[in-house]
């Protein structure tokens, strides 16, 4: 994952961009993660380091991402079941800047609990509808957000900020 500037990268990524790209990588099949870092060789102490050591905020963002993905390791290592349909964007742009679906998701099952990792790649907020017809639990918790979502006839809707990420857990009954 990129956290530096130079050459074709004209700026450092924001913490939100780092978070979204990390989870998007997992949603799209990443099985490992490496942070790429350059150490500067300059006389200017302001620019001695780039990447993850550049600011305390960047370091905090990276450690937060790493801790959250590490906590999901047992889930991510589980076999990937047949996936639900691509989420339907019901408000906001339906595609990202590359013409791909704005919201993508990965469903995993671990210890009979259903997990859904979802990422908004659009540069606008969106509202998406998810269809999980085989999930028997009506209520799901949203990890790290202290809120829940409810399935109605196997569907639920949720809002995503720009580059928003949500991790849902539907516990077995």
């Amino acid at each position: 994952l990129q956290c530096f500037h130079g050459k074709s990268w004209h700026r450092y990524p924001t913490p939100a961009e780092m978070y979204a790209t990390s989870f998007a990588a997992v949603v799209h099949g990443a099985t490992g993660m490496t942070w790429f870092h350059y150490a500067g060789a300059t006389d200017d102490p302001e620019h001695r380091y780039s990447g993850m050591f550049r600011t305390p905020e960047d370091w905090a963002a990276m450690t937060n991402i790493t801790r959250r993905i590490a906590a999901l390791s047992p889930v991510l290592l589980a076999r990937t079941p047949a996936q639900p349909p691509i989420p339907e964007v019901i408000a906001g742009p339906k595609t990202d800047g590359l013409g791909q679906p704005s919201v993508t998701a990965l469903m995993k099952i671990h210890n009979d609990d259903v997990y859904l990792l979802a990422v908004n790649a659009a540069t606008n907020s969106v509202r998406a509808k998810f269809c999980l017809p085989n999930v028997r639990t009506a209520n799901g918790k949203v990890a790290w957000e202290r809120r829940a979502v409810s399935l109605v006839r196997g569907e639920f809707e949720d809002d995503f900020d720009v580059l928003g990420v949500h991790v849902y857990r539907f516990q077995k009954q």
Side-chain angles (χ1 to χ4, degrees):
L1 298 165
Q2 178 266 341
C3 186
F4 58 88
H5 80 294
K7 300 205 184 241
S8 62
W9 301 102
H10 301 291
R11 64 175 178 79
Y12 288 95
T14 66
E17 288 168 333
M18 287 190 280
Y19 195 74
T21 57
S22 299
F23 275 89
V26 171
V27 164
H28 292 282
T31 57
M33 192 170 295
T34 300
W35 291 102
F36 197 79
H37 162 73
Y38 282 116
T42 178
D43 295 332
D44 182 356
E46 292 284 320
H47 297 95
R48 181 159 181 209
Y49 296 107
S50 64
M52 67 184 113
F53 303 116
R54 185 177 66 94
T55 68
E57 295 78 20
D58 286 348
W59 180 250
M62 287 181 179
T63 55
N64 180 47
I65 293 162
T66 303
R67 284 184 182 122
R68 288 183 176 188
I69 290 176
L72 290 170
S73 289
V75 174
L76 299 175
L77 292 171
R79 287 184 182 234
T80 301
Q83 294 296 294
I86 293 172
E88 176 188 355
V89 174
I90 55 178
K94 298 196 183 304
T95 58
D96 66 12
L98 298 174
Q100 300 298 313
S102 292
V103 178
T104 54
L106 172 67
M107 184 177 74
K108 292 290 223 170
I109 300 172
H110 177 65
N111 291 338
D112 294 327
D113 293 347
V114 175
Y115 292 79
L116 188 71
L117 290 74
V119 180
N120 173 23
T123 55
N124 297 84
S125 22
V126 300
R127 183 165 185 81
K129 183 193 303 186
F130 298 86
C131 181
L132 302 172
N134 297 324
V135 176
R136 302 283 180 241
T137 302
N139 296 311
K141 294 180 180 176
V142 187
W144 309 299
E145 296 186 43
R146 295 184 182 184
R147 65 185 185 95
V149 295
S150 295
L151 284 171
V152 177
R153 293 181 298 286
E155 296 179 338
F156 74 95
E157 296 179 6
D158 203 3
D159 295 313
F160 287 77
D161 290 335
V162 173
L163 302 174
V165 175
H166 299 307
V167 176
Y168 307 97
R169 179 181 181 190
F170 297 90
Q171 291 180 291
K172 67 181 177 184
Q173 291 182 327

